[in-house]
Amino acid sequence: MPDEDADDSTLHHHQSWRVALYYYYIDLSETVASQVQFHKEICDHLNLKGRIRVSAEGLNGVLSGLYTSLQEYERAVTNELEKQQQQHSTATATTTT
Protein backbone atom coordinates (compact mmCIF):
# COMPACT_ATOMS: atom_id res chain seq x y z
CA MET A 1 0.00 0.00 0.00
CA PRO A 2 1.47 3.40 -0.96
CA ASP A 3 2.53 5.78 1.79
CA GLU A 4 -0.19 8.41 2.01
CA ASP A 5 2.31 10.97 3.35
CA ALA A 6 4.72 10.56 0.42
CA ASP A 7 4.47 13.34 -2.13
CA ASP A 8 4.21 12.69 -5.86
CA SER A 9 7.86 13.59 -6.51
CA THR A 10 9.06 10.95 -4.03
CA LEU A 11 6.90 8.28 -5.62
CA HIS A 12 7.96 9.32 -9.11
CA HIS A 13 11.64 9.18 -8.11
CA HIS A 14 11.18 5.73 -6.55
CA GLN A 15 9.38 4.44 -9.63
CA SER A 16 12.24 5.55 -11.87
CA TRP A 17 14.61 3.00 -10.25
CA ARG A 18 15.08 -0.42 -11.83
CA VAL A 19 17.07 -3.62 -11.48
CA ALA A 20 18.77 -5.15 -14.52
CA LEU A 21 19.94 -8.75 -14.66
CA TYR A 22 21.88 -9.88 -17.68
CA TYR A 23 24.46 -12.20 -19.16
CA TYR A 24 26.36 -11.90 -22.40
CA TYR A 25 28.55 -14.64 -23.81
CA ILE A 26 31.54 -13.23 -25.68
CA ASP A 27 35.22 -14.12 -25.85
CA LEU A 28 36.93 -11.71 -23.46
CA SER A 29 39.93 -13.93 -22.80
CA GLU A 30 42.42 -11.27 -23.91
CA THR A 31 40.69 -8.25 -22.35
CA VAL A 32 39.31 -9.26 -18.95
CA ALA A 33 41.33 -6.64 -17.05
CA SER A 34 40.33 -3.78 -19.37
CA GLN A 35 36.69 -4.89 -19.23
CA VAL A 36 36.76 -4.86 -15.42
CA GLN A 37 38.13 -1.30 -15.50
CA PHE A 38 35.56 -0.21 -18.12
CA HIS A 39 32.62 -1.51 -16.07
CA LYS A 40 33.93 0.03 -12.83
CA GLU A 41 34.28 3.42 -14.50
CA ILE A 42 30.91 3.43 -16.28
CA CYS A 43 29.04 2.21 -13.20
CA ASP A 44 30.70 4.84 -11.01
CA HIS A 45 29.91 7.53 -13.59
CA LEU A 46 26.24 6.47 -13.82
CA ASN A 47 25.87 5.78 -10.08
CA LEU A 48 24.86 2.16 -10.69
CA LYS A 49 25.18 -0.39 -7.90
CA GLY A 50 25.41 -4.16 -8.04
CA ARG A 51 27.75 -6.87 -9.22
CA ILE A 52 29.25 -7.73 -12.58
CA ARG A 53 31.27 -10.86 -13.17
CA VAL A 54 33.74 -10.48 -15.98
CA SER A 55 35.37 -13.67 -17.22
CA ALA A 56 37.02 -15.02 -20.33
CA GLU A 57 33.58 -16.34 -21.39
CA GLY A 58 31.70 -13.05 -21.03
CA LEU A 59 29.65 -10.95 -18.61
CA ASN A 60 27.05 -11.69 -15.94
CA GLY A 61 25.58 -8.77 -14.07
CA VAL A 62 22.96 -7.51 -11.64
CA LEU A 63 22.72 -3.73 -11.44
CA SER A 64 20.31 -1.25 -9.91
CA GLY A 65 19.91 2.44 -10.57
CA LEU A 66 17.87 4.99 -12.39
CA TYR A 67 16.16 3.61 -15.47
CA THR A 68 17.81 6.26 -17.65
CA SER A 69 21.24 5.35 -16.25
CA LEU A 70 20.65 1.67 -16.97
CA GLN A 71 19.70 2.55 -20.54
CA GLU A 72 22.87 4.60 -20.93
CA TYR A 73 24.89 1.71 -19.46
CA GLU A 74 23.34 -0.68 -21.97
CA ARG A 75 24.28 1.60 -24.88
CA ALA A 76 27.85 2.04 -23.61
CA VAL A 77 28.35 -1.70 -23.06
CA THR A 78 26.87 -2.56 -26.45
CA ASN A 79 29.24 -0.11 -28.14
CA GLU A 80 32.22 -1.40 -26.15
CA LEU A 81 31.47 -5.05 -26.97
CA GLU A 82 30.85 -4.32 -30.64
CA LYS A 83 34.22 -2.55 -30.76
CA GLN A 84 35.77 -5.56 -29.00
CA GLN A 85 34.30 -7.98 -31.55
CA GLN A 86 35.47 -5.86 -34.49
CA GLN A 87 39.01 -5.72 -33.12
CA HIS A 88 38.96 -9.49 -32.52
CA SER A 89 37.63 -10.15 -36.06
CA THR A 90 40.28 -7.90 -37.59
CA ALA A 91 43.07 -9.54 -35.59
CA THR A 92 41.82 -13.03 -36.53
CA ALA A 93 41.57 -12.14 -40.22
CA THR A 94 45.06 -10.66 -40.15
CA THR A 95 46.65 -13.68 -38.52
CA THR A 96 44.91 -16.27 -40.69
CA THR A 97 45.75 -14.81 -44.10
Side-chain angles (χ1 to χ4, degrees), residues 19-62:
V19 174
L21 299 103
Y22 70 93
Y23 63 90
Y24 190 83
Y25 291 111
I26 182 172
D27 180 11
L28 297 176
S29 57
E30 297 178 16
T31 61
V32 170
S34 65
Q35 285 295 316
V36 168
Q37 187 63 34
F38 168 79
H39 288 276
K40 282 182 180 181
E41 290 173 4
I42 193 76
C43 288
D44 284 346
H45 173 71
L46 296 172
N47 197 32
L48 297 173
K49 307 297 181 200
R51 131 188 107 63
I52 302 168
R53 294 181 184 208
V54 179
S55 71
E57 295 82 23
L59 305 169
N60 183 323
V62 178

Side-chain angles (χ1 to χ4, degrees), residues 61-93:
V62 178
L63 294 174
S64 66
L66 291 174
Y67 181 59
T68 55
S69 295
L70 288 167
Q71 289 176 311
E72 190 172 334
Y73 171 81
E74 181 181 12
R75 283 189 294 274
V77 170
T78 299
N79 290 337
E80 177 70 13
L81 294 177
E82 285 176 353
K83 183 175 73 174
Q84 168 94 18
Q85 285 181 321
Q86 288 172 352
Q87 289 172 348
H88 182 71
S89 295
T90 303
T92 302

